[in-house]
């Protein structure tokens, strides 16, 4: 009888200990940031409106515009889009370098971040991960882009290719 009582007592005590452990083990999950954020650090010699354009697989477009002043110091411009689901994740991303007048733009860095991951591109990455259109040409200095008029139009764009966008997916 003593053995049975001892065994029952041990089982009850172990059962109580397991319940206490379960109550104390509640984990607080960190809140996930579903914003896909792009930030460029750049300077320009002409004031103009720069804009990030992001499109997802359904061609939903997000445009974030920033007016930059001409100055010698680097400035940060930011764009973002909420991408909680895969179909909202950008498949196309480009930066419009202002459409008013031709200018010189020096890009120091280009950073993308999503769900705690980030990647920073420097001018050394331009040829691998970026493309420019016919209204832009590379300058002699690292990170220098020169915009120009072509057939009376000025639509300078630098785009991050899909391989670059997917580095943080």
């Amino acid at each position: 009888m003593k053995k049975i009582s001892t065994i029952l007592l041990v089982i009850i005590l172990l059962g109580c200990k397991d319940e206490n452990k379960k109550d104390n083990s509640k984990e607080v999950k960190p809140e996930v940031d579903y914003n896909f954020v792009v930030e460029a650090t750049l300077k320009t010699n002409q004031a103009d409106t720069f804009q990030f354009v992001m499109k997802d697989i359904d061609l939903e477009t997000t445009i974030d515009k920033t007016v930059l002043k001409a100055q010698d110091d680097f400035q940060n411009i930011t764009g973002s889009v909420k991408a909680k689901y895969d179909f909202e994740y950008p498949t196309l991303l480009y930066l419009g370098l202002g459409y008013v007048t031709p200018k010189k733009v020096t890009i120091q860095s280009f950073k993308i971040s999503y769900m705690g991951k980030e990647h920073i591109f420097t001018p050394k990455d331009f040829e691998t991960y970026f493309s420019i259109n016919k209204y832009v040409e590379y300058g002699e200095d690292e990170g220098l882009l020169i915009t120009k008029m072509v057939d009376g139009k000025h639509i300078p764009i630098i785009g991050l290719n899909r391989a670059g966008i997917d580095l943080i997916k």
Side-chain angles (χ1 to χ4, degrees), residues 21-147:
K21 285 182 184 177
K22 288 178 185 174
D23 290 339
N24 292 335
S25 66
K26 291 181 183 176
E27 293 181 26
V28 178
K29 292 184 180 181
E31 199 170 307
V32 177
D33 184 8
Y34 291 103
N35 287 319
F36 180 94
V37 179
V38 58
E39 180 180 307
T41 303
L42 52 85
K43 64 182 177 180
T44 180
N45 67 342
Q46 295 286 329
D48 209 335
T49 301
F50 288 63
Q51 65 183 22
F52 282 110
V53 177
M54 293 166 270
K55 292 185 180 186
D56 63 24
I57 199 162
D58 292 331
L59 299 180
E60 291 288 327
T61 304
T62 301
I63 300 174
D64 283 324
K65 296 181 180 181
T66 305
V67 176
L68 286 184
K69 298 177 181 175
Q71 63 184 37
D72 292 333
D73 296 331
F74 284 96
Q75 305 168 66
N76 290 330
I77 60 172
T78 305
S80 68
V81 63
K82 189 165 228 40
K84 189 170 183 176
Y85 305 103
D86 271 350
F87 64 86
E88 296 173 320
Y89 190 85
T91 56
L92 176 71
L93 167 64
Y94 66 83
L95 174 61
L97 301 173
Y99 306 113
V100 179
T101 58
K103 65 189 69 58
K104 291 182 179 181
V105 178
T106 303
I107 298 179
Q108 185 179 47
S109 66
F110 202 93
K111 178 173 84 171
I112 56 174
S113 58
Y114 180 65
M115 292 180 58
K117 298 178 190 175
E118 73 176 37
H119 188 84
I120 299 174
F121 300 94
T122 63
K124 293 177 183 176
D125 299 316
F126 283 177
E127 290 185 23
T128 305
Y129 293 108
F130 292 84
S131 60
I132 56 175
N133 65 4
K134 65 182 179 181
Y135 303 96
V136 182
E137 58 187 35
Y138 291 109
E140 290 183 18
D141 296 332
E142 186 174 78
L144 178 62
L145 302 173
I146 302 166
T147 69

